Amino acid sequence: RPRTGTVRDLEGRVVVVSAGGTREPIDPVRFLGNSSSGKQGVALARAARARGAEVVLVGANLALPPEGVGTYVPVVTTAELRTAVRAAASDADVVVMAAAVADFRPAHAPDAKIKKVPGRAPAPIELVENPDILRELATDRLRAGQVVVGFAAETGDADGDVLDHGRAKARRKGADLVVVNAVGGGRGFGTDDNDVTVLDAAGDVVATAHGSKDEVAHAVWDLVAKRLA
Ligand code: CTP
Ligand code: CA
C-alpha cells in the first residue's frame, strides 16, 4: 500500500475532521471534559492533506494549534463543535468525527464561580444529554454522496466484548464507516499505537489496521477513497 504523500487520491476533495475532546462549563472556571489527546484526529487531517484533500479541522481544546492541517477551527463545547462541523460539512465530500464528544452537559452553568460553603454538602450538578452529532450527520447527509465516518473507543464488559459494542454502535449511528478502537489498559487514549477494526453501517468488518496513528489514518483514508471512487 502506498505511504504518506505518495498517493494524491483525495485531490479535489473537501474533508472535515473533528478532533480533541469537548468541554462543558460547570461555572466560569470549571468544566466537564475528557482526556482525548486529539492526536488521531490531527493525524487524519494531516494524512488527508498529504493525499491532496482540502481539509477543515475542527479541534476541541487541542493543546497546541496543529501545523499542516489546512483550515483550523478551534472550539470548546459540543454545541460549538456541532455548529462548526455542520457548517463545514455542507461543502464536504467526507466528514470524520474523531472528536471525543461529551455525552452530557450541565443543565445550568452560573455566571459566577460556585463557592463552597463550610459544612454544607455540594449541590448536585444536573446533566442533560448532548445531541449526537455523528448520528445527525449520518441521517441528514448535508451533501449528496457524502461519506460519514465515526470512531468508537470501547472496552469489553459484562454485556459484550469490544467488537460486540462496536457492532451495536455502528448499526445505531448509521455512519458509512466506524473505526473501533480498543481502549483501557494503556491502549488508545494518548498513546502512539493503535489497534482498530473498521465496520460498515451494517456492523460488518471491512478492515483491520494496526500501527501508529498516522498508519491508522492512512488506512481509514484508503477505505474512504474506495467509497468516493
Ligand atoms: N459522537 C457524536 N456526538 C455525541 C457523542 C458521540 O458525534 N454526542 C460521535 C463521536 O465523535 C464518535 C462516535 O460518535 O465518532 C462514537 O462516540 P462514542 O462516545 O463512542 O459513542 P456514544 O454513542 O456516545 O456511546 P457511549 O459513549 O455510550 O459508548
Ligand atoms: Ca460517548
Side-chain angles (χ1 to χ4, degrees):
R1 186 167 61 77
R3 285 295 167 194
T4 313
T6 58
V7 269
R8 302 278 295 180
D9 56 355
L10 297 176
E11 192 86 65
R13 300 296 190 174
V14 177
V15 313
V16 182
V17 178
S18 72
T22 60
R23 292 179 182 174
E24 307 295 348
I26 293 171
D27 71 13
V29 296
R30 305 186 178 95
F31 59 84
L32 202 65
N34 65 71
S35 54
S36 172
S37 67
K39 283 181 185 171
Q40 184 65 75
V42 172
L44 281 155
R46 285 212 182 97
R49 230 176 157 218
R51 292 166 79 137
E54 186 185 313
V55 177
V56 179
L57 176 69
V58 179
N61 307 294
L62 302 183
L64 294 169
E67 308 259 319
V69 293
T71 304
Y72 171 52
V73 184
V75 298
V76 177
T77 64
T78 299
E80 290 169 4
L81 183 96
R82 178 176 179 273
T83 300
V85 166
R86 289 180 69 87
S90 60
D91 295 322
D93 299 288
V94 186
V95 187
V96 181
M97 283 295 298
V101 180
D103 291 332
F104 305 100
R105 67 180 185 278
H108 318 280
D111 293 333
K113 189 183 164 195
I114 298 169
K115 302 296 287 180
K116 63 184 173 197
V117 179
R120 191 194 290 170
I125 297 172
E126 188 195 336
L127 300 178
V128 294
E129 195 169 350
N130 274 326
D132 189 325
I133 302 167
L134 178 63
R135 195 159 189 277
E136 287 179 348
L137 290 166
T139 306
D140 299 349
R141 301 289 165 161
L142 296 174
R143 188 172 160 185
Q146 185 171 76
V147 177
V148 176
V149 182
F151 272 73
E154 299 288 351
T155 64
D157 61 21
D159 292 329
D161 63 18
V162 168
L163 210 53
D164 294 331
H165 286 292
R167 216 176 278 119
K169 192 167 284 177
R171 291 179 183 141
R172 197 164 68 231
K173 298 279 186 178
D176 300 296
L177 298 169
V178 173
V179 183
V180 182
N181 201 351
V183 294
R187 294 169 304 180
F189 271 33
T191 63
D192 287 322
D193 248 50
N194 259 325
D195 257 310
V196 301
T197 303
V198 185
L199 307 177
D200 61 17
D204 292 327
V205 175
V206 293
T208 59
H210 169 81
S212 69
K213 290 189 175 178
D214 287 336
E215 288 170 311
V216 168
H218 278 287
V220 171
W221 290 122
D222 287 345
L223 297 170
V224 170
K226 230 188 276 174
R227 291 197 171 229
L228 288 170

